[in-house]
Amino acid sequence: MPDIPDIVVKETISMKDGRTIIIETGKLAKQADGAVLVREKNTMLLATVVVSKEIKNDTHFLPLTVDYREKYSAGGKIPGGFIKREGRPSDEEILTMRLVDRVLRPTFPDSFKKEIQVMISLLSYDKTVLPDGLAGLAASTALSVAGIPFNGPISEIRIIRLNGKFIINPSLDQLNKADIDLIVGASNHSIIMIEGEMKEIKENEFLETVITAHKAIKPQIEAQIRLIDKLSKNQQQIFFFDDQKYIDSFQENKILKKELFLFSYEKIEKIYQNFTNKKTRSIQEKIVLNDFKNKFLTEEKIEKKKAIIDQFFEEIKKKITRNLVLKKGVRLDGRTNKQIRSIYSFVNYLPGVHGSALFSRGETQSLTTVTLGSSLDANKIDNVIMENQEKFYLHYNFPPFSTGEIRSIRGVSRREVGHGNLAQRALKNIIPNNPYTIRVVSDILESNGSSSMATVCAASLALMDAGIPIKNPVSGIAMGLFMENGKKVIMSDIIGEEDHFGDLDFKITGTKCGMTACQMDVKTMQGVTYDILNQILIQALEGRIFILKKMLETLPRYRKKMKPHAPKIYTLSIPKDFIGSVIGPGGKIIQEIQSCTDTNILIEEKGNLGYIEILGKNDEKIKKAINRIQQIAFVPELGKVYQAKVKSIKDFGAFVEISKGVEGLLHISEIGWKRLNKIEEELHVGDIIDVKFMGMDEKNKKMKLSRKVLLPRPGKKNE
């Protein structure tokens, strides 16, 4: 039987700077429901989609999984470590998964209950094109090829500003020099997702960047539409909800939903208008739900319908919350739409650490610590895209007790990685150049919205408490939006339900000078206009400055001195020829210096120099270590006068020590102006004399020293 030839369908996206992106389907992974190859230069991504054939009635959320992996072979590398194969995803891969998931998830209809798995693989990496800016395009095209009913196509791009100019899908080198770095996801009509960091820019600059990004996204969406049009209908798989069991279940559930609505709506509405705290509100909600189950359902039906009852109950709570906000102007905690929750904070809360802060805003609380270390403590990143050492990094922990829950702890969640990364990006550009490695850890002790923004505030205070001279303290705020029938309400400092039931979650951080990071997710395909986006930015600025002033009431500026128990780091450089002398045979000398001075000493060769980092807690002992190293690596300065000790005398001159362990020959002709028959006529062992360093002898590479030039010449008057 002859092989059936591949039917490859391609589309080309032309970019304004002359580059092109090619999307194609039909050649690779043909047993997947949808498979697309995306290529820009030599960076190639394969995105595949598989959809379950069964409907998952037992879930009340979209069963979507997005996975992104980078093959080491794509960059011509072999994985490091003992196991020579790709393992669990790196933080960088997890962050890309989140970016794609967040832009895709709101595009699916609520009725879609089939499990979807999107897998994206980096097959080839060109160092001039970062792959994360292409991942959203690849995933959306694969979904479109599979014929899955979602409100797409969509796309994502990475946009930076470098020297005042915008660049789409930049290289890593360009990225490192940019003052704006955003990943923007959008449909043809609206912005869906934004994430990135900035170097204290103004709100109008941010908005200009987003508008420019949206213009660049539209041609990518149009190319996807053209690609789908080229595919014949029999190549596209359409997933309709034609399952009879689903239809029967839907009719049964419709009655159940009506009964639950009639029983609980007014009760929940009354609870919400009492403006109780989150814990009390949650307990009262559970009582209402349990009363309904006990009154109307058998134990068997409760067990069978648990997931769908929970879903319907969430829908009722959502409807009540939205009605209160949009029709009555009432928030669940009684605040106005611009009002910030009560704030209190403390620094030096944990006296044994290098820096600490406790920051509480409403029912959200972060306990954040700062630990100072040496270069050995840097966070080493070694993946397909980059090899780097982060000397500032932030870790975010979200334990189950922070929301009053019990759940298994199985490592760090994707959410914790994402929130920690957002807070780190918010702060990284205000950290000054310094010799320390700085690790910040935020433990969320209580959460009801905006825990990542509480982390940013707590981390700023903890850094100042540690004595780090940060450029400007950073505050953060989470903004919300409710829209319906032409009416909109923008809310500052949203709580959990306002995030969950609202149409937008927009986290913004910044200093008094400008924005430093953001993360925006739109929950509805209705999208936001540029005008609404601008209004949110203006209201957020007002809230950020208010929070910042509250923070500065606790600690107005960074401490002038570090804590007594914090490590001190001193750096110096020596000629690389002396590195071996400082280390000594088998490390004997450097180990002896460390032992005698209670310090840790690191040496790294860079070019013609050896860079030395000395870490300790006692200034006097650190100075002692510095002196020992400077003595070993002594390099005399041309023309400088040194106080020298005569160590030995020979017929041709005297050997003198100008620094500990550093001896040079003072030739008999350079001892004085008078001709000497014997050295002892002028010098003796142990004498202390002044000598001048005249340079190095080009022939024998020895020091040239002179005492004579410092003495008055016979027959000439002293001036």
Side-chain angles (χ1 to χ4, degrees):
M1 184 176 177
D3 292 336
I4 300 172
D6 295 328
I7 301 174
V8 179
V9 181
K10 294 185 180 182
E11 267 299 327
T12 300
I13 302 162
S14 299
M15 301 171 70
K16 283 191 173 181
D17 60 5
R19 289 179 292 159
T20 58
I21 300 172
I22 297 171
I23 52 176
E24 71 171 55
T25 186
K27 190 174 186 66
L28 303 180
K30 289 177 285 185
Q31 292 193 45
D33 293 324
V36 169
L37 188 71
V38 173
R39 176 171 184 167
E40 182 181 344
K41 292 188 176 180
N42 288 333
T43 293
M44 300 170 68
L45 292 171
L46 173 66
T48 60
V49 172
V50 176
V51 186
S52 67
K53 306 306 178 277
E54 304 81 24
I55 294 168
K56 298 196 72 161
N57 285 324
D58 59 344
T59 182
H60 58 272
F61 60 88
L62 175 68
L64 168 68
T65 303
V66 176
D67 193 88
Y68 169 82
R69 301 298 175 102
E70 296 173 348
K71 307 289 185 184
Y72 272 81
S73 58
K77 291 184 177 182
I78 294 174
F82 182 74
I83 301 173
K84 297 298 180 183
R85 68 176 297 160
E86 288 82 0
R88 67 179 185 83
S90 67
D91 284 359
E92 291 72 33
E93 289 170 314
I94 289 171
L95 292 169
T96 302
M97 296 177 200
R98 280 174 52 84
L99 288 169
V100 177
D101 184 291
R102 284 164 44 208
V103 76
L104 289 180
R105 193 168 290 275
T107 65
F108 284 86
D110 293 337
S111 56
F112 197 92
K113 296 294 182 183
K114 292 192 174 185
E115 189 172 2
I116 312 166
Q117 185 175 43
V118 179
M119 298 187 68
I120 308 164
S121 301
L122 175 64
L123 303 182
S124 175
Y125 173 55
D126 181 332
K127 291 184 179 180
T128 65
V129 181
L130 289 170
D132 51 6
L134 299 171
L137 169 64
S140 173
T141 310
L143 286 166
S144 299
V145 165
I148 295 172
F150 77 116
N151 293 310
I154 55 87
S155 193
E156 284 179 340
I157 63 160
R158 188 164 210 151
I159 181 170
I160 67 167
R161 189 176 70 177
L162 180 60
N163 299 324
K165 294 183 178 179
F166 292 116
I167 300 172
I168 306 299
N169 293 350
S171 68
L172 186 60
D173 288 341
Q174 291 171 325
L175 182 67
N176 291 332
K177 299 171 187 174
D179 65 342
I180 297 176
D181 169 24
L182 295 180
I183 287 189
V184 179
S187 67
N188 223 344
H189 308 291
S190 62
I191 304 295
I192 304 172
M193 189 279 301
I194 306 171
E195 178 151 339
E197 65 184 72
M198 300 75 75
K199 293 181 179 178
E200 296 182 285
I201 67 164
K202 299 300 181 186
E203 280 71 12
N204 63 319
E205 297 174 90
F206 174 82
L207 191 58
E208 181 189 7
T209 308
V210 172
I211 293 171
T212 304
H214 197 193
K215 289 178 181 176
I217 285 172
K218 290 179 180 181
Q220 298 188 3
I221 293 171
E222 291 163 6
Q224 292 179 65
I225 294 170
R226 293 196 303 271
L227 181 75
I228 302 307
D229 288 343
K230 284 183 179 180
L231 293 172
S232 60
K233 290 183 180 180
N234 62 356
Q235 283 182 284
Q236 295 188 55
Q237 303 178 57
I238 308 298
F239 294 89
F240 291 114
F241 298 113
D242 53 1
D243 192 306
Q244 187 60 44
K245 286 169 66 179
Y246 175 82
I247 295 169
D248 294 342
S249 176
F250 179 79
Q251 295 300 328
E252 181 184 345
N253 290 337
K254 196 173 178 181
I255 298 168
L256 177 62
K257 183 176 183 179
K258 186 176 180 180
E259 289 174 342
L260 180 60
F261 182 90
L262 292 171
F263 179 84
S264 63
Y265 189 93
E266 290 184 0
K267 295 180 178 66
I268 298 297
E269 186 177 45
K270 186 177 180 181
I271 291 169
Y272 283 6
Q273 293 186 85
N274 287 334
F275 308 136
T276 57
N277 61 38
K278 177 185 175 182
K279 191 172 183 179
T280 303
R281 193 162 58 243
S282 178
I283 291 170
Q284 291 174 347
E285 288 170 356
K286 287 175 183 175
I287 291 171
V288 172
L289 184 58
N290 287 334
D291 286 348
F292 169 78
K293 290 177 180 178
N294 294 332
K295 187 171 183 178
F296 292 95
L297 304 175
T298 63
E299 286 189 14
E300 182 183 353
K301 199 164 187 179
I302 290 172
E303 184 65 30
K304 183 180 178 182
K305 296 289 185 179
K306 182 181 185 307
I308 199 69
I309 291 170
D310 288 344
Q311 178 185 338
F312 290 156
F313 196 59
E314 285 296 301
E315 290 175 10
I316 291 167
K317 292 195 297 182
K318 179 176 181 178
K319 185 177 182 63
I320 294 168
T321 302
R322 294 181 66 85
N323 280 344
L324 288 173
V325 170
L326 289 164
K327 295 180 180 178
K328 298 184 179 180
V330 174
R331 299 176 72 171
L332 298 189
D333 54 9
R335 286 180 293 146
T336 64
N337 67 316
K338 290 186 178 182
Q339 190 175 350
I340 311 297
R341 289 173 288 176
S342 61
I343 293 172
Y344 69 89
S345 54
F346 302 94
V347 292
N348 198 28
Y349 191 77
L350 304 174
V353 304
H354 300 157
S356 65
L358 179 69
F359 180 88
S360 295
R361 187 187 57 244
E363 297 172 288
T364 298
Q365 186 179 72
S366 168
L367 178 60
T368 296
T369 60
V370 169
T371 307
L372 307 177
S374 68
S375 297
L376 285 177
D377 301 304
N379 183 32
K380 295 175 178 63
I381 298 173
D382 183 8
N383 56 34
V384 179
I385 308 301
M386 71 176 81
E387 294 177 15
N388 191 21
Q389 290 195 342
E390 288 182 332
K391 293 196 71 177
F392 170 75
Y393 50 97
L394 187 150
H395 293 149
Y396 166 100
N397 298 315
F398 193 83
F401 66 77
S402 65
T403 53
E405 296 175 295
I406 299 172
R407 68 169 183 269
S408 299
I409 300 173
R410 297 188 178 93
V412 181
S413 68
R414 290 188 181 187
R415 181 183 182 276
E416 287 171 307
V417 171
H419 278 42
N421 179 67
L422 173 62
Q424 178 175 322
R425 299 181 84 181
L427 295 159
K428 62 182 281 192
N429 289 314
I430 56 97
I431 302 294
N433 289 327
N434 69 93
Y436 289 99
T437 292
I438 303 171
R439 181 186 184 227
V440 179
V441 178
S442 170
D443 289 298
I444 303 303
L445 305 184
E446 187 180 359
S447 179
N448 186 15
S450 312
S451 58
S452 61
M453 298 297 92
T455 293
V456 171
C457 299
S460 287
L461 289 170
L463 286 164
M464 293 195 290
D465 181 53
I468 302 298
I470 60 176
K471 187 178 176 183
N472 286 306
V474 181
S475 65
I477 189 170
M479 304 297 294
L481 175 68
F482 281 64
M483 295 187 298
E484 204 168 284
N485 299 324
K487 185 172 183 179
K488 71 175 189 304
V489 177
I490 299 170
M491 291 185 294
S492 300
D493 184 25
I494 57 176
I495 60 174
E497 288 96 337
E498 292 167 342
D499 179 2
H500 187 54
F501 299 138
D503 297 316
L504 171 141
D505 172 25
F506 196 175
K507 301 178 180 73
I508 304 170
T509 71
T511 68
K512 63 182 181 181
C513 299
M515 297 171 63
T516 60
C518 74
Q519 184 183 91
M520 186 188 85
D521 293 302
V522 177
K523 315 290 181 68
T524 170
M525 282 304 294
Q526 183 179 349
V528 293
T529 64
Y530 300 144
D531 181 58
I532 292 175
L533 202 56
N534 187 51
Q535 291 177 48
I536 294 171
L537 290 169
I538 292 169
Q539 188 168 317
L541 174 60
E542 182 182 326
R544 278 199 295 111
I545 297 302
F546 175 84
I547 295 168
L548 186 59
K549 287 178 179 177
K550 287 287 185 181
M551 291 164 54
L552 297 180
E553 289 174 8
T554 300
L555 188 62
R557 57 178 289 116
Y558 60 84
R559 299 191 190 281
K560 292 294 185 181
K561 290 185 178 180
M562 293 181 175
K563 306 291 176 65
H565 53 276
K568 281 78 177 175
I569 294 182
Y570 289 83
T571 59
L572 66 152
S573 59
I574 61 173
K576 73 173 184 179
D577 296 340
F578 287 101
I579 293 176
S581 301
V582 173
I583 294 172
K588 181 179 178 181
I589 293 176
I590 196 169
Q591 288 173 14
E592 188 266 333
I593 296 172
Q594 290 179 126
S595 177
C596 292
T597 60
D598 293 328
T599 58
N600 289 320
I601 302 173
L602 309 174
I603 303 179
E604 183 180 5
E605 183 180 329
K606 293 181 181 178
N608 294 320
L609 294 174
Y611 286 87
I612 299 180
E613 190 177 279
I614 304 173
L615 182 142
K617 293 184 179 180
N618 185 292
D619 284 326
E620 291 301 318
K621 290 183 177 181
I622 291 173
K623 287 176 183 176
K624 185 179 176 182
I626 292 171
N627 290 335
R628 289 284 304 276
I629 291 170
Q630 288 177 335
Q631 288 169 359
I632 296 170
F634 176 78
V635 178
E637 186 179 332
L638 182 65
K640 188 172 180 178
V641 177
Y642 294 93
Q643 196 175 68
K645 184 177 183 179
V646 179
K647 300 292 287 185
S648 63
I649 293 176
K650 307 294 181 183
D651 292 340
F652 47 83
F655 282 97
V656 297
E657 185 181 61
I658 64 172
S659 182
K660 188 171 182 179
V662 180
E663 294 184 13
L665 175 66
L666 179 62
H667 193 268
I668 189 170
S669 63
E670 294 295 331
I671 293 175
W673 293 102
K674 183 174 72 171
R675 182 181 177 84
L676 300 175
N677 294 317
K678 291 179 70 176
I679 304 295
E680 285 84 356
E681 295 176 20
E682 195 76 22
L683 299 177
H684 298 86
V685 173
D687 286 352
I688 305 297
I689 61 174
D690 287 339
V691 296
K692 187 175 183 178
F693 176 62
M694 307 299 290
M696 302 296 291
D697 190 303
E698 292 184 2
K699 291 182 180 179
N700 58 25
K701 304 299 181 184
K702 302 290 186 182
M703 288 190 294
K704 294 192 293 184
L705 301 172
S706 177
R707 176 173 176 259
K708 180 172 69 175
V709 296
L710 300 176
L711 302 174
R713 190 167 186 171
K716 287 196 174 184
K717 293 181 180 180
N718 292 334
E719 296 182 4

